[in-house]
Amino acid sequence: MADPQGFLKTRERELPTRRPVPVRIRDWKEVYEEQELGQLQRQAGRCMDCGIPFCHSGCPLGNLIPEWNDLAWKGDWREAIERLHATNNFPEFTGRLCPAPCETACVLGINQPAVTIKQVEVTTIERAFDSGYVQPQAPERLSGKTVAVVGSGPAGLAAAQQLTRAGHTVAVYERADKPGGLLRYGIPEFKMEKSVLDRRIAQMEAEGTRFRSGVAVGEDVTGRQLRDRYDAVVLAIGATVPRDLPVPGRELDGVMQAMDFLPPANRAALGEAVEGQVTAEGKDVIVIGGGDTGADCIGTSHRQGARSVTSLEIMPQPGEERVTGQPWPTYPMLFRVASAHEEGGERLYAVSTKEILGEDGKVSGIRVVDVQRGDHGFDEVEGTERVLPAQLVLLAMGFLGPEKPGVVEQLEVELDERSNVKRDKDYMSSVPGVFVAGDAGRGQSLIVWAIAEGRSAAAGVDRFLTGQTALPRPINPNDRPLVV
């Protein structure tokens, strides 16, 4: 364990300071300042010698959390990154973007604030990069087998890196102009600067992974051509079909999906020229949906100079403490304040949109009403109907599954009852040699689940190609988060 008395001597949870709001909304840099190393090590020292480390249950990657907490506390950063990389290809991504279900499963969290696992993780990998501990791991010999990975998000990158290191020749296809998927153009700079992604891509290229950017599989190259050209294909295309809002006025100019708003904003933040970009500058912005994508829209709107930002969520506001139906070590629904929420705006809960209003074909506001849980969904609360001004309405209500036109239809893979691509215990679809990893098979989920699926699918591909595998398999396709 770490410090045997650490959780007794240091009872408070300490995180790095966020840069002042008036400063950070004027740029696109990450919001957190660097944490003092001694403070970080004291936090790592709070990790207890648990008989059963339930943080492992909270993390689908099976991260060896108590081990690298102990090593971080001791200052043995070289060994700490070895233990961290043993289960996680990209801790610099998860340390910034994961909501940390491991922390809500922390045993210390039963009666104290949980260990700052996520911050120890990101500090460990950053020190490893700074010290030169992260080096390419090229295979000793090649298998002669070829694999196409379609999609370069976290699942696709994890599968590609594992298969390259196993000796297979891997090509990653990405329809955007640069690899990274939503990590590049979906995640704003203030949550993860793209230099963090670029250095990992550079490592993968040095190991032998080949990236084919600007290639739309299903259009520029067909599913049949991939099957003819490669010994195996991994579909890691995500769940990119957005949930829509079927209300009057949806067609008005200024009403758009979050993922039509964020990528151009991210490109502009990176200094790229973007034609026809819709921005929040000088507008009353309403974001419908209270999840991570909604928060990304809020933070982006602030940086673009919105006049006001309002977030709507149909569910009631969660409390600040666990409810009895969500006991430790499950991931509870709590009222959380992301950095974007801290930057301003209003958050409205238990509100439903009835109509989008417009003038001259452009959105001018939305008609909303308060709701409460009923026997058959949500019932309107009488006398609460009102109009909120808006010149930009962003829909961030989640995703319904992978896109069907294109490679999915061309490969003729079977779908499950939730319209995701069906796969067997080895992550193989109904078409032999075609595998599925990440949200395309699981449905919309967290980055840790995507990486775990990529690693697991890689084991299935390796076994299919060679008859055996030594690659780890952290989860099964039907595994689900720790819930009641």
Side-chain angles (χ1 to χ4, degrees), residues 182-197:
L182 291 183
L183 291 171
R184 183 172 298 279
Y185 293 127
I187 301 297
E189 282 280 285
F190 58 82
K191 289 179 69 173
M192 188 182 80
E193 295 176 16
K194 298 309 168 280
S195 59
V196 173
L197 173 62

Side-chain angles (χ1 to χ4, degrees), residues 406-424:
V407 67
V408 171
E409 291 182 348
Q410 291 169 3
L411 290 173
E412 298 181 338
V413 293
E414 291 184 18
L415 305 179
D416 63 19
E417 64 279 0
R418 298 175 61 227
S419 78
N420 300 315
V421 181
K422 191 175 182 180
R423 63 263 181 95
D424 65 13

Side-chain angles (χ1 to χ4, degrees), residues 108-128:
L108 183 60
I110 297 175
N111 58 8
Q112 285 190 34
V115 175
T116 58
I117 299 170
K118 180 175 166 180
Q119 189 59 32
V120 176
E121 176 183 28
V122 75
T123 300
T124 299
I125 181 59
E126 289 303 321
R127 291 188 67 85

